[in-house]
């Protein structure tokens, strides 16, 4: 389905709704305001679109006063605009009340709906097993252009486009690759999962796995895709080959309390998926291989004596109960530990996944964005570095003692941090500040800021990614008239500027599939 047909369908639906509503005037209702200002992004049925679903269960942890503020002022670093100049304070409050009220119809998206939605464009194994282009298939970038809902396959040697194609509306969570780099999987905010064959430059299959989806993960053996949903509160396991449904897993604690799924991750060394939950203080591990052993509910004295029965698969849930809700994770290279931060706190928890409990507390001020954290060797010890969403600092943490060894002052609160094994530098943006057009380069040994760059003065710039060999760094000018800026990673000089339509992220096949320490996984 093209973006044009998607928008046309929304437009027709809105036209019907508007005809049925009374003319706007002093008696205008919150429902009218919702249709006029919100439905285009959040869906006419409030089930989500480019923006999240707006339903009571979807807003449990967002207090209504903050929702009022968000409607009035917008939300930084998102597509949520401010409506304070269009709606009165009374209308803003009424709109907030409206989205916190239950909808007339119960929202459902289960096995039947998922199966009915699946579209298969090409059968597994029916396409050539060699690339149809001459470029190095491991030095390609998948560039997501959010401005017009397209993706570009970019040659990382020539920086020329190999292909450009339409994507689903509002991709979210970053694309993920099959282990060999042939396939890329996308998830959209409105639940669509798409499988694209990079070697043959064609779409393979699509399925709608939820109403409001956070992200997906691909298993290290290439067999499975796990999708995490905000709405409904589910995990959806799919066959990676054709996106057919394997299992729907409700996101609930042992007492039945339901939760949104913050994110899903593939822990390749463990042959398991790790799941972050938004509303309950638990982390889940779902084995898909044999390295993490069987899963037992409750305490078992000695499973070797047959004292208990293992949970049945596929994807049994091993629960790790925590002190607090964590919805932003980082993992050490071996996936023995996860580091998580609570959104309302100034500390993080270090959880050992082998003993399944918290082992340390980390000082993490400024609302760290651990999802963009990276690691490197510093003075013989591996360190974790993360930008912060509310303070202009980068926290550097010793991953043995879990102590903060430095707080590097930056030009403003940032969102993304990236590096590569073959460069002495780490790059960070100031995405969430007045200095949104600034990129800063940090020496990974001295921990000093050694350069400040302004690729496009006045325009939001962020998300650096490196070529396969680390020789070049690519940055996004995050605007409708945006661009990718290619820098020489050693001299920090601009090499090329490629016009694009609000390019958000770009993802190098080799760096992602080899799990480079300088990028997200």
């Amino acid at each position: 389905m093209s973006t044009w047909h998607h928008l046309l369908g929304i437009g027709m639906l809105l036209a019907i709704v508007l005809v049925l509503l009374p003319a706007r005037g002093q008696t205008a209702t919150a429902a009218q305001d919702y249709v006029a200002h919100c439905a285009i992004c959040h869906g006419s049925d409030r089930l989500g679109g480019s923006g999240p679903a707006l339903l009571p269960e979807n807003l449990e942890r967002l207090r209504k006063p903050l929702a009022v503020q968000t409607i009035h002022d917008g939300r930084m670093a998102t597509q949520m605009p401010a409506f304070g100049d269009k709606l009165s304070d009374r209308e803003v409050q009424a709109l907030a009340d409206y989205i916190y009220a239950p909808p007339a119809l119960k929202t459902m998206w289960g096995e039947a709906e998922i199966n009915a939605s699946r579209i298969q464009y090409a059968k597994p194994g029916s396409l050539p097993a060699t690339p149809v282009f001459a470029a190095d298939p491991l030095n390609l970038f998948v560039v997501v252009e959010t401005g017009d809902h397209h993706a570009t396959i970019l040659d990382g040697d020539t920086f020329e486009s190999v292909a450009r194609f339409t994507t689903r509306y509002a991709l979210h969570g970053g694309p993920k690759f099959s282990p060999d780099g042939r396939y890329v999987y996308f998830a959209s905010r409105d639940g669509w999962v798409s499988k694209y064959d990079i070697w043959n430059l064609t779409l393979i299959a699509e399925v709608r796995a939820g109403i409001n989806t956070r992200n997906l993960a691909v298993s290290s053996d290439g067999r499975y895709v796990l999708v995490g949903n905000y709405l409904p509160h589910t995990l959806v396991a799919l066959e990676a080959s054709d996106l057919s449904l394997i299992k729907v897993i409700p996101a609930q604690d042992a007492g039945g309390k339901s939760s949104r799924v913050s994110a899903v991750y593939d822990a390749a060394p463990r042959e398991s998926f790790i799941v972050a939950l938004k509303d309950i203080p638990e982390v889940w591990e779902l084995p898909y291989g044999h390295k993490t052993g069987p899963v037992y509910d409750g305490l078992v004295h000695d499973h070797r004596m047959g004292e208990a029965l293992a949970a049945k698969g596929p994807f049994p849930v091993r629960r790790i109960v925590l002190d607090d809700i964590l919805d932003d994770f980082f993992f050490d290279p071996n996936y023995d530990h996860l580091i998580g931060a609570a959104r309302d706190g100034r500390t993080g928890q270090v959880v050992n996944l082998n003993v399944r409990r918290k082992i340390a507390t980390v000082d993490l001020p400024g609302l760290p964005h651990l999802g963009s954290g990276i690691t490197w060797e510093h003075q013989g010890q591996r360190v974790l570095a993360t930008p912060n969403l509310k303070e202009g600092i980068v926290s550097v943490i010793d991953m043995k003692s879990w102590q903060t060894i430095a707080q590097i002052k930056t030009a403003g609160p940032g969102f993304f941090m990236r590096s590569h094994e073959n460069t002495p530098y780490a790059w960070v943006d100031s995405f969430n500040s007045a200095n949104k057009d600034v990129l800063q380069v940090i020496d990974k040994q001295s921990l000093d800021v050694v350069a400040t760059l302004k690729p496009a003065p006045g325009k939001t710039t962020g998300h650096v990614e490196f070529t396969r060999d680390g020789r070049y760094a690519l940055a996004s000018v995050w605007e409708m008239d945006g661009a990718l800026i290619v820098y020489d990673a050693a001299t920090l000089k601009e090499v090329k500027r490629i016009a694009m339509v609000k390019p958000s992220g770009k993802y190098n096949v080799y760096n992602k599939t080899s799990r480079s320490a300088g990028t997200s996984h």
Side-chain angles (χ1 to χ4, degrees), residues 140-424:
L140 298 174
F141 289 85
V142 175
V143 186
V144 175
E145 297 180 68
T146 60
D148 62 353
H149 314 291
H150 279 71
T152 292
I153 307 297
L154 186 73
D155 186 333
D157 293 306
T158 65
F159 303 113
E160 298 291 335
S161 175
V162 175
R164 190 173 190 266
F165 55 94
T166 303
T167 67
R168 288 284 175 172
Y169 196 73
L171 300 184
H172 190 258
K176 301 298 188 294
F177 296 93
S178 60
D180 60 1
R182 174 174 174 174
Y183 301 105
V184 60
Y185 299 83
F186 301 97
S188 73
R189 285 296 292 265
D190 59 355
W192 281 98
V193 175
S194 306
K195 178 181 181 180
Y196 184 85
D197 185 339
I198 298 175
W199 292 4
N200 288 282
L201 305 177
T202 189
L203 200 60
I204 298 297
E206 293 186 298
V207 66
R208 192 177 188 190
I211 294 170
N212 190 331
T213 293
R214 290 300 292 171
N215 77 322
L216 60 80
V218 179
S219 63
S220 59
D221 58 10
R223 296 176 60 191
Y224 308 114
V225 175
L226 187 68
V227 183
N229 290 321
Y230 256 26
L231 190 70
H233 297 175
T234 58
L235 295 163
V236 176
L238 306 169
E239 294 282 0
S241 60
D242 62 1
L243 300 185
S244 58
L245 178 64
I246 301 174
K247 187 177 185 180
V248 176
I249 305 167
Q252 298 176 345
D253 66 12
K257 178 177 171 55
S258 181
S259 175
R260 293 167 289 174
V261 177
S262 296
V264 294
Y265 309 85
D266 174 55
R270 305 178 66 82
E271 295 183 350
S272 64
F273 292 114
I274 306 295
V275 179
L277 299 171
K278 190 80 171 176
D279 305 303
I280 57 178
E282 294 183 358
V283 171
W284 288 3
E285 181 170 22
L286 281 63
Y288 56 77
H290 301 290
K291 288 187 177 181
T292 52
V295 174
Y296 296 94
D297 292 326
L299 299 176
V300 179
H301 179 261
D302 189 340
H303 69 84
R304 293 170 299 180
M305 302 298 293
E307 295 179 354
L309 296 176
K312 294 182 178 180
F315 312 110
V317 176
R318 174 178 288 122
R319 301 174 187 271
I320 302 173
V321 179
L322 304 176
D323 296 337
D324 199 356
I325 293 171
L326 304 179
D327 58 7
D328 195 12
F329 284 4
F330 185 84
F331 297 89
D332 65 2
N334 294 327
Y335 283 78
D336 290 324
H337 300 90
L338 70 82
I339 304 91
R343 286 294 171 184
D344 56 355
R346 295 179 63 86
T347 62
Q349 297 182 43
V350 181
V351 178
N352 185 296
L353 294 172
N354 299 316
V355 300
R356 299 194 287 280
R357 62 178 176 84
K358 172 186 170 183
I359 63 166
T361 299
V362 184
D363 182 26
L364 288 172
L367 196 58
H369 187 214
L370 288 168
S372 284
I374 59 174
T375 72
W376 67 79
E377 292 291 327
H378 177 260
Q379 298 181 359
Q381 178 58 42
R382 183 154 293 273
V383 296
L384 155 67
T386 176
N388 291 272
L389 298 174
K390 288 189 175 180
E391 294 184 25
I393 59 172
V394 167
S395 298
V396 184
I397 298 163
D398 184 310
M399 296 185 73
K400 185 175 183 180
S401 67
W402 301 111
Q403 297 298 307
T404 300
I405 64 173
Q407 290 186 348
I408 306 168
K409 186 173 178 56
T410 63
F415 200 79
F416 298 106
M417 190 172 188
R418 293 289 185 265
S419 187
H420 189 278
E421 288 80 355
N422 294 336
T423 175

Side-chain angles (χ1 to χ4, degrees), residues 24-25 28 30 33 86-96:
R24 177 173 167 81
D33 285 331
K86 299 179 179 68
L87 301 173
S88 69
D89 290 347
R90 179 182 59 80
E91 289 171 323
V92 168
Q93 181 64 54
L95 190 51

Side-chain angles (χ1 to χ4, degrees), residues 116-131:
S117 72
R118 194 173 73 89
I119 308 166
Q120 187 164 309
Y121 302 100
K123 292 183 178 180
S126 64
L127 298 174
T130 55

Side-chain angles (χ1 to χ4, degrees), residues 65-75 80-90 92-93 95:
L66 184 55
V68 171
Q69 180 184 338
T70 301
I71 295 169
H72 190 276
D73 299 331
R75 174 166 286 181
M80 175 67 188
F83 290 101
D85 59 342
K86 299 179 179 68
L87 301 173
S88 69
D89 290 347
R90 179 182 59 80
V92 168
Q93 181 64 54
L95 190 51

